[in-house]
Amino acid sequence: MDNTTSPAKSGLIYGLLFGAIMILEFVVGYVMNIDPQTNPTYGVVISVLNYLVLPLLFIYLGCNNYKTNINSGFISFGQCLKIGVTICVIAGLVSAIFSGVFGMIFPEYFEEVFDKVGKMMVEKNPDMPSKQIEMSISMMKKFSNPAISIPITVLMFAFIGLIWSLIVGAIVKKDRNQSL
C-alpha cells in the first residue's frame, strides 16, 4: 500500500477553494453593504453555507477525488477524516487570516459593526444597563483580535471538519480487500 500522495495533501486545493469562497462571501457583503446584524436573513444564509453546505460539499469532493483519482478507487475511513479536517482547517485559516488583515487595513469596519451591535442591544432590551452593553462590546473587541480569533476559527473549523468527515467517510469509504 504505497501511496505517493497523502490524504491531507490531496485536500489542500479544496481547502483553499473553500477559504476563497468564504472570503468572496465576505467581500460581496462588504461591497454591497450587507451585514448580518441588520439583515438576519443574510447572516443565516452565510452561516448555512459556511457551516453546513460548503464543508459537506468540499469534504465529499476531496474524499471522492482522493478515492477515484489518486488511490485507485479505495479510501479508508481514516483517510476521509484526514482529508476533511485538512480541508476545513485550511479554509478556516485562510478565512481567519483574511479577516484579521482586513481588520488591520479597515479598522473602521469593525468599529462600525460594534456600534451597530450596541444599538441593536439597546433596541432589543432597553432595560439593559449601559455598563453591561459596554462589557459585551469590550468582549467582542477582545475576541475580534487576530491573536484570539484566528486560533478559535481554526479550531472551530477543525471540529466542523471532523463531524462532517465522519458522515462523509461513512458514505464514501471503500477499503481494499485484505487477503492473508
Side-chain angles (χ1 to χ4, degrees):
M1 193 174 342
D2 246 337
N3 290 339
T4 56
T5 304
S6 79
K9 188 176 178 186
S10 73
L12 178 67
I13 188 72
Y14 293 102
L16 291 172
L17 281 171
F18 182 16
I21 289 173
M22 288 194 292
I23 289 171
L24 185 63
E25 291 169 351
F26 180 83
V27 169
V28 167
Y30 177 74
V31 168
M32 295 181 70
N33 200 22
I34 305 170
D35 69 282
Q37 288 82 22
T38 57
N39 188 347
T41 305
Y42 174 76
V44 168
V45 168
I46 293 299
S47 293
V48 167
L49 278 174
N50 290 345
Y51 304 124
L52 281 158
V53 176
L54 293 176
L56 187 61
L57 173 70
F58 282 109
I59 291 169
Y60 175 78
L61 290 173
C63 289
N64 201 39
N65 176 59
Y66 184 78
K67 177 179 163 183
T68 57
N69 298 333
I70 297 170
N71 206 26
S72 307
F74 299 101
I75 190 166
S76 70
F77 195 70
Q79 290 168 328
C80 286
L81 289 177
K82 287 178 194 174
I83 291 168
V85 171
T86 300
I87 288 170
C88 288
V89 163
I90 290 170
L93 186 63
V94 167
S95 175
I97 289 172
F98 173 81
S99 181
V101 170
F102 187 86
M104 287 184 224
I105 295 171
F106 301 108
E108 67 276 1
Y109 172 77
F110 287 109
E111 287 302 321
E112 186 179 311
V113 169
F114 299 142
D115 290 343
K116 284 181 186 178
V117 168
K119 289 176 186 172
M120 286 178 58
M121 291 171 94
V122 169
E123 286 175 15
K124 292 198 182 222
N125 192 355
D127 299 332
M128 184 182 283
S130 63
K131 189 88 170 160
Q132 190 174 3
I133 293 172
E134 289 171 17
M135 190 168 62
S136 298
I137 300 293
S138 109
M139 287 301 290
M140 284 177 59
K141 287 180 180 179
K142 286 178 187 173
F143 280 101
S144 68
N145 178 347
I148 295 173
S149 67
I150 290 173
I152 288 175
T153 302
V154 170
L155 286 173
M156 180 183 67
F157 273 95
F159 180 72
I160 290 167
L162 178 68
I163 299 301
W164 285 121
S165 296
L166 290 169
I167 295 166
V168 171
I171 295 168
V172 303
K173 82 172 183 116
K174 182 177 180 187
D175 292 322
R176 295 180 193 270
N177 292 334
Q178 299 290 329
S179 58
L180 302 172

